[in-house]
Amino acid sequence: MTGTPKYGRAFVFGDNIDTDILAPGSLMKLSPEALATHCLEAIDPSFAGAVRSGDLLVAGTNFGLGSSREQAAVSLKILGIKAVLATSFARIFWRNAINLGLPALVFPQAREIASGDQLALDTASGRIENLTRSRSYEIQPLPDHLLQMIADGGLIAHLQRRFQGTAA
Amino acid sequence: MDLSSPVLAMTLVEKVIARAAGREAVRPGEIVTAKVDFAFAHDSSGPRRWRPYLEQLGVGIWDPSKVALVSDHYVPAVDAESAAILSDARAFAREYGVGAFFDMIGICHLVLPEHGLIRPGDFIAGGDSHTPMAGAFGTYAAGYGATDMAAIVATGETWLSVPQTVRVEWSGAFQVGVVAKDIMLFLCRELGLDNAFAAIEYGGAAVDAMSMPERMVLANMAAELGFETGVVAPDQITFDYLAARGHPVDDEAVAMALESDPACTYRAVHHFDATTLVPQIARPHAPDNVIAADVLSDVVIDQAYIGACVGAKLSDLRMAAEVLQGRKVAPSVRLLIAPASSATTEQAAREGILTTLLEAGAILLPSGCGACAGMGAGLLAAGEVCISSTNRNFRGRMGHKDARVYLGSPYSVAAAAVAGRIVDPRPMLAQPGIAT
């Protein structure tokens, strides 16, 4: 299966980016939009201001460890991040992202990407091109049922289709 | 079924998933749909996130008798926003006929077992990352985000890839002053935090001898290790806990049979000796940054915090009282104690533990997730140092991003509160304070 590639700049972070860095607990009463402006602030105060719609987040191991708070993935989505590519993911964050229609893909060679590199990602086939460094990678695509969920616009939209299908 | 056959031999986790998926057997890596036996959430992750989704889908809760809500994050309300979140939770529980709603009586992970709602063998979905705490009762209990949970309460099912199981055996017996929390901090260092899409099972003589509250610590902090669930096989201690709360298991033999089959396949088996374990401390800013307590005596503290699902059960308050009996909190330190449930506070009062804690200078806070979740009383300023009986010390979790949080057992937290710095609690336990 192939789709339309996503093109964007890479924002690169290291290992063990936790949910308190992505969505600080003490700010959880803020609106999602306001909370998103604090995303990753503890380690990179410029991130929320610099990121643009279409950019891709690249990180090391155990991305999203910690809380089940979905605001961690919501904040990245609000800021315009189109996919997260990491060496490995914490389970709840990984499910949350995909449920919201934000592809989260295991990318073993994530360390070869530098901040600012221009990437092209085909989520369906698992092909990543680093246009800045003229390198390409084939990674394990998501299972078909999750690709379908993302194509439907996330878990709730996917369920809505299923319920309507049942009713019809 | 021939349980000695490697074809059908399964781990405890695989048995629970197989039954929930309506299958005779499952194997790691298989993607299955499981029917959920019990689902729960709290005021932060539940109603305020579920309601718009359920309205969009035009459905109610699939089976309200299998769903519980617990208000524990924004309690008690400290401003109009938190009051509105709680008000919405109460209205939701009424409108959707939620089977069990526990309002402001403690933290979900403790309140649910206190009410006999965690049943051995169940497949449990919880809207909180510390849901694995229920695995102490031999359940598959995993945490989910709000969208996953909304789908679960709408349909009663969820998908999963069957996890591999890692077994950890603790032989021997603990030294005085060393407890389950020290095991978990030690394991964070040994196994790391990156264990997603696998389960952990605890066993061995030291685990067999543990009370349910101590087993809950093992299961709870499976979350810190990154495992999706952490389990202990049910035994007489499990059955006695449930029977004492008026909810005995239906069939003890069925619950006993949940134990992993001898011919099952583990991803790995690790052996450790409880006898040689010493008190452990996690340094800022991660639970795996762990070292023995006795080498941190140059760490001067501002605050000591006993709270959270993992660290403020009755057993934890008893530990603190053992240290604080006849002693005083150092003048430079504030010791805050937020019991994990109202039942905990009530029993601590009956046993005289509250008096001991208050006479030592402790400050009592309401039951709830409190400062551990970055929401309640007891947050930290920039540059402040705290030792805490909670389970996470990520940067910014308990207040300012430049606060420093150390994690330890309730013994270690109470001893540090007295000394004004981090110490090994064993010398204080060996030489009790003079009763006043």
Side-chain angles (χ1 to χ4, degrees), chain A residues 47-164:
Chain A
F47 172 74
V51 72
R52 289 197 303 261
S53 180
D55 290 338
L56 303 168
L57 198 106
V58 179
T61 56
N62 210 10
F63 187 85
L65 75 158
S67 162
S68 65
R69 66 183 67 139
E70 206 161 60
Q71 288 87 341
V74 170
S75 291
L76 294 175
K77 214 181 156 188
I78 286 174
L79 293 174
I81 292 291
K82 291 300 180 225
V84 184
L85 304 166
T87 316
S88 63
F89 287 94
R91 170 185 156 275
I92 301 179
F93 175 88
W94 181 78
R95 287 185 69 117
N96 285 348
I98 291 166
N99 287 339
L100 295 167
L102 175 66
L105 296 160
V106 173
F107 181 23
Q109 300 92 347
R111 283 189 179 79
E112 296 179 14
I113 307 298
S115 269
D117 285 359
Q118 289 285 337
L119 304 182
L121 164 70
D122 181 349
T123 307
S125 68
R127 184 176 171 81
I128 299 170
E129 274 188 78
N130 186 333
L131 303 170
T132 306
R133 290 163 205 280
S134 304
R135 269 186 223 156
S136 64
Y137 307 88
E138 300 288 339
I139 62 171
Q140 182 76 40
L142 294 170
D144 287 345
H145 78 287
L146 296 182
L147 285 175
Q148 187 59 54
M149 187 196 290
I150 290 171
D152 286 348
L155 174 58
I156 297 301
H158 180 67
L159 270 185
Q160 204 162 12
R161 276 173 168 250
R162 194 178 108 188
F163 284 175
Q164 283 162 357

Side-chain angles (χ1 to χ4, degrees), chain A residues 29 62 70 88 91 95, chain B residues 49 79 147-148 159 193-194:
Chain A
K29 278 181 291 193
N62 210 10
E70 206 161 60
S88 63
R91 170 185 156 275
R95 287 185 69 117
Chain B
R49 308 292 315 285
D79 54 23
T147 302
D148 250 337
W159 76 274
L193 308 182
D194 190 6

Side-chain angles (χ1 to χ4, degrees), chain B residues 81-96:
Chain B
E81 288 83 7
S82 47
I85 291 168
L86 291 169
S87 169
D88 184 48
R90 293 176 189 118
F92 181 96
R94 270 195 313 274
E95 292 165 29
Y96 284 80

